[in-house]
Amino acid sequence: RGRQEVGIIPYQVQKTSTYTSKTDAWYRFNVFKANLERAEWMNQNDEGTAEYGVTQFADMTKEEFSE
């Protein structure tokens, strides 16, 4: 499983959500990058029972996803 490269432009193209400001967009992008790093770690350390990656929830924090 290789590292998924992502940039702000491809990320915005993939997202269907709109952001209220550039600040919000950058915040969401940083949450997305942190979640992607976590997904990569989980893929490397999982027992092979799941595959983790980009979903429509990838720019949400754990707290937001739990609501």
Side-chain angles (χ1 to χ4, degrees):
R1 298 176 181 157
R3 182 170 174 80
Q4 297 181 30
E5 293 297 324
V6 65
I8 188 71
I9 300 302
Y11 167 74
Q12 287 178 324
V13 169
Q14 291 176 3
K15 277 299 293 177
T16 56
S17 302
T18 56
Y19 301 118
T20 57
S21 67
K22 286 183 180 181
T23 302
D24 186 37
W26 278 108
Y27 172 75
R28 292 292 163 192
F29 180 64
N30 285 315
V31 169
F32 172 82
K33 288 191 310 183
N35 287 338
L36 185 58
E37 287 176 11
R38 179 165 169 72
E40 290 173 352
W41 181 88
M42 291 174 72
N43 281 329
Q44 292 172 359
N45 295 293
D46 189 60
E47 298 292 323
T49 58
E51 187 170 329
Y52 304 93
V54 177
T55 70
Q56 68 268 31
F57 308 110
D59 69 341
M60 297 174 73
T61 64
K62 287 188 235 181
E63 296 78 17
E64 291 169 328
F65 184 77
S66 297
E67 292 178 358

